[in-house]
Amino acid sequence: MSTSRGLIINGQEVPASSGRTTSDINPWTGAVCAEVAAGTPEDVRRAVDAADAAFEAWAATAPAERRRIFLRAAQLMAERTEEVVRLMAAEVGGIGPWAGFNAALAADILLEAAAEVGRPTGQVLATNADGAHSTQVRVPKGVIAAISPWNAPVILGVRAVALPIAMGNTVVLKPSENAPIACGLLISDVLHEAGLPAGVLNVVTNDHADGPEVVSALIADPRVRMVNFTGSTEVGRVVGVLAAQHLKPAVLELGGKNALLVLEDADVDYAVDAAVFGSFMNAGQICMCVDRVIVHRSIADEFTAGFAARVRALPCGDPSDPGTAVGPVVNAAAARRVSALVADAVSLGAGLAAGTGEIEEPGTLIRPVVLTGVTEEMKIYHDEVFGPATAVHVVDSADEAVALANDTPYGLVAGVITEDLAKGLEVAGRLRTGIVHVNDQTIADEPQAPFGGVKGSGYGRFGGQVGAEAFTDTRWVTVQAVGHAHFPI
């Protein structure tokens, strides 16, 4: 039986102003798992009204009280792990381990937000003015627009709001249409149960067709002072342009064409394990997933044979089955896009070491694909896959591996597998990405670490001190002793 959810405005669950709802579809069964309010630009205005009205009091709330709320929210999120597992299977086809990881990391993000509340917020500056005291302080920006994606819904929904709120801002969250509960309404439930005051976090869900006008209305509202967005590079460009038009800063964490470099001296079994996890966790639908495994020729045959054998053995199917390793993609359109990328590559001469790229019942399942012989004229060479397919590229040197890894408009994350730590660090220093992991695959995140990319993977950073600074303004404040200032006119 499906549930019914409204918008969250000023701490209350309310229907959309239009009275319309939109269906939240289970990608495995095709059933409606929820009906949610189909918000409109008028609902955006109502949500910003509430956030703006709540800002002054929330910004003045004592750090100890803010910290208490986030600590309680972290505990509540951890307690809801089983609920998250059921919800992610229903909304996005997420398998149990992935959903459990979402709940655990989301709780850690809330704990890190609690820690950031009490960190120093400024410094004393040197000054040439006689009798003056000069400081710089970090202050909340005001109302933040947050737009969260469906693929790691609980992690990325919490990340979109936790540090902004901890720093004293208020937020209007627009969750993905594909996971309006997991990356929006659930997070509101947890934070409000933890004691978050009304109006500090507001959630506007919407129908797919209304997304562009809802986002435009949110970014254009003059009371919204900043935007954070996690999602595709295509949509991120639109969000970035809209924010720039209204002179608003943005943190954009976008797509990736991530490479795992397996150097000549790598432990092949370890590299295979890393590549399987990095390529196919959450059916490849993670911005950090491995799209390309770049392997030295001397070990390429051994690696490819081991990798393909492991991939062919991965259990695929129902995400609610504890034995499933690779579930469905998020919807039929996503399945068609991934299948078309594989078919294009094969038609132009790529080999299939594992999988076929064919779509299976219920129209959202593609068994994991390993391609070989991928060349520049193939779409998959350039395009982010964001699905269960990866390519093995063979190179003759570390220099060639670096050049191939950098041959992309994206720059999110890379991994380097080697027994030579010095070589791994040297190679990592030459990769044009925001994140590099030596002797690990590409999927990794910690709430205290700066997370984000370069080039087409976006700009700005979430996480830790850098993230806290992103969601505050730096203000110069001076205090002049009376009688010391000199006014020449």
Side-chain angles (χ1 to χ4, degrees), residues 139-440:
V139 297
K141 287 179 175 290
V143 180
I144 305 285
I147 305 168
S148 58
W150 55 265
N151 60 313
V154 184
I155 294 171
L156 299 179
V158 168
R159 190 182 73 174
V161 305
L163 270 181
I165 292 172
M167 293 299 99
N169 302 289
T170 57
V171 172
V172 176
L173 172 63
K174 195 214 85 67
S176 167
E177 298 90 346
N178 291 318
I181 300 176
C183 69
L185 298 170
L186 168 75
I187 293 155
S188 170
D189 293 345
V190 166
L191 281 164
H192 283 108
E193 184 179 344
L196 192 71
V200 175
L201 173 60
N202 307 273
V203 182
V204 178
T205 57
N206 62 277
D207 185 80
H208 279 273
D210 301 328
E213 65 174 351
V214 167
V215 169
S216 295
L218 180 57
I219 296 174
D221 193 300
R223 296 165 297 177
V224 170
R225 298 312 314 144
M226 184 183 177
V227 180
N228 78 71
F229 170 83
T230 301
S232 71
T233 296
E234 179 184 10
V235 178
R237 291 184 195 279
V238 176
V239 170
V241 168
L242 284 171
Q245 286 176 340
H246 295 282
L247 296 179
K248 298 175 184 181
V251 173
L252 305 177
E253 196 258 286
L254 310 178
K257 190 69 179 171
N258 309 307
L260 179 65
L261 285 64
V262 182
L263 302 188
E264 186 175 12
D265 64 347
D267 180 314
V268 173
D269 290 339
Y270 179 82
V272 165
D273 289 344
V276 170
F277 179 86
S279 299
F280 299 112
M281 173 51 75
N282 196 35
Q285 300 170 116
I286 305 172
C287 60
M288 298 172 280
C289 274
V290 174
D291 266 21
R292 302 172 292 162
V293 186
I294 303 174
V295 189
H296 193 277
R297 190 174 302 278
S298 63
I299 58 172
D301 289 346
E302 181 185 1
F303 172 86
T304 303
F307 183 40
R310 280 285 314 280
V311 169
R312 287 193 294 266
L314 291 172
C316 304
D318 185 348
S320 65
D321 184 338
T324 297
V326 178
V329 295
V330 68
N331 54 41
R336 290 192 296 269
R337 185 187 60 79
V338 174
S339 182
L341 283 173
V342 174
D344 173 75
V346 171
S347 73
L348 293 172
L352 285 166
T356 65
E358 295 179 1
I359 302 171
E360 300 182 15
E361 293 296 332
T364 52
L365 181 65
I366 298 177
R367 295 183 183 273
V369 173
V370 176
L371 291 163
T372 59
V374 169
T375 54
E376 291 187 49
E377 67 269 21
M378 302 172 188
K379 292 179 182 177
I380 205 166
Y381 181 94
H382 306 279
D383 293 359
E384 180 182 23
V385 178
F386 216 72
T390 194
V392 175
H393 297 266
V394 179
V395 296
D396 293 304
S397 67
D399 288 344
E400 189 179 346
V402 169
L404 180 55
N406 288 336
D407 185 23
T408 172
Y410 297 98
L412 185 56
V413 60
V416 183
I417 308 292
T418 176
E419 294 288 291
D420 184 342
L421 181 58
K423 182 67 173 178
L425 290 171
E426 186 270 332
V427 167
R430 296 163 59 197
L431 294 169
R432 300 185 195 129
T433 58
I435 305 162
V436 185
H437 302 297
V438 177
N439 282 338
D440 202 356

Side-chain angles (χ1 to χ4, degrees), residues 94-109:
I95 64 171
W98 175 238
F101 177 73
N102 265 252
L105 183 53
D108 283 349
I109 294 170

